[in-house]
Amino acid sequence: EQLFPKVFEKPVVEVGKWYRNGDTSHKKSVAFLTDYNKSTNHYKGYGFDIDGNWSNGNDNYVWGSSNWIEATLSDLQPLFEAEFNKRYKEGDLLGSPHSGAEFEYRAKDVEYDQLLSNVSYIGHFCIFKNGNFAKVIKSAKLIKAEQELEQAKKRVEELKGKC
């Protein structure tokens, strides 16, 4: 250990940053570190597992890699694009995880440039912040069905007036 100290060094990481697994077979494994225990080399946080599936993480969830590399926007963006596409459909009514404000989901309007700061927006509306995603308040299908129902009610009233 004294002859080759670099071999025995633990990786230097910072809580509050995104990291990806340096193992090339685990490219989809990306985590935002919320806690790091240097003596045990255990990481806690949330992010994507080796299959690209989201994990909220919690106090019991430990990321076990010893080969973390600071993530870039190009590491994060495709994972978040896929996650947004899993969670949301065009036209869904969402509630911001930050303010609760309601807004419509439009994939083309998602801004990914601030993901390294742990946030993503659609215009002025927050869609992701600190491990929390916007919640679907109403699906696009339900919104469309409600609109069709209202149109049908109006048509019924029009027809009643003609009798």
Side-chain angles (χ1 to χ4, degrees), residues 97-160:
H98 177 63
S99 66
E102 296 179 1
F103 60 100
E104 187 176 331
Y105 178 69
R106 295 281 178 223
K108 67 177 180 57
D109 294 332
V110 175
E111 300 167 11
Y112 297 97
D113 58 328
Q114 294 185 47
L115 280 173
L116 291 173
S117 298
N118 209 20
V119 67
S120 183
Y121 293 92
I122 291 180
H124 296 292
F125 298 103
C126 180
I127 191 169
F128 173 83
K129 185 170 186 172
N130 297 330
N132 298 301
F133 288 86
K135 301 224 181 314
V136 176
I137 295 171
K138 275 189 188 178
S139 71
K141 285 182 180 181
L142 178 58
I143 293 168
K144 184 178 179 186
E146 288 174 342
Q147 290 169 344
E148 289 171 354
L149 179 60
E150 284 304 310
Q151 290 172 350
K153 285 180 183 178
K154 286 178 185 175
R155 182 73 178 133
V156 166
E157 290 303 314
E158 288 172 5
L159 292 173
K160 281 184 183 178

Side-chain angles (χ1 to χ4, degrees), residues 18-157:
W18 285 98
Y19 290 89
R20 69 176 173 83
N21 190 322
D23 182 344
T24 57
S25 65
H26 299 298
K27 281 191 166 200
K28 292 181 180 179
S29 182
V30 176
F32 185 85
L33 300 184
T34 58
D35 188 36
Y36 171 57
N37 184 326
K38 190 173 183 176
S39 64
T40 62
N41 202 33
H42 283 159
Y43 307 82
K44 293 180 184 175
Y46 48 81
F48 298 93
D49 67 16
I50 61 173
D51 296 317
N53 297 311
W54 179 258
S55 173
N56 283 331
N58 56 43
D59 288 340
N60 300 319
Y61 193 83
V62 176
W63 296 84
S65 175
S66 60
N67 191 21
W68 289 105
I69 297 170
E70 194 165 343
T72 65
L73 187 58
S74 62
D75 295 320
L76 296 174
Q77 185 168 335
L79 293 167
F80 274 93
E81 283 177 4
E83 188 64 24
F84 290 153
N85 287 331
K86 281 185 213 173
R87 289 173 181 260
Y88 313 122
K89 302 294 177 241
E90 287 293 314
D92 283 352
L93 182 64
L94 306 181
S96 169
H98 177 63
S99 66
E102 296 179 1
F103 60 100
E104 187 176 331
Y105 178 69
R106 295 281 178 223
K108 67 177 180 57
D109 294 332
V110 175
E111 300 167 11
Y112 297 97
D113 58 328
Q114 294 185 47
L115 280 173
L116 291 173
S117 298
N118 209 20
V119 67
S120 183
Y121 293 92
I122 291 180
H124 296 292
F125 298 103
C126 180
I127 191 169
F128 173 83
K129 185 170 186 172
N130 297 330
N132 298 301
F133 288 86
K135 301 224 181 314
V136 176
I137 295 171
K138 275 189 188 178
S139 71
K141 285 182 180 181
L142 178 58
I143 293 168
K144 184 178 179 186
E146 288 174 342
Q147 290 169 344
E148 289 171 354
L149 179 60
E150 284 304 310
Q151 290 172 350
K153 285 180 183 178
K154 286 178 185 175
R155 182 73 178 133
V156 166
E157 290 303 314

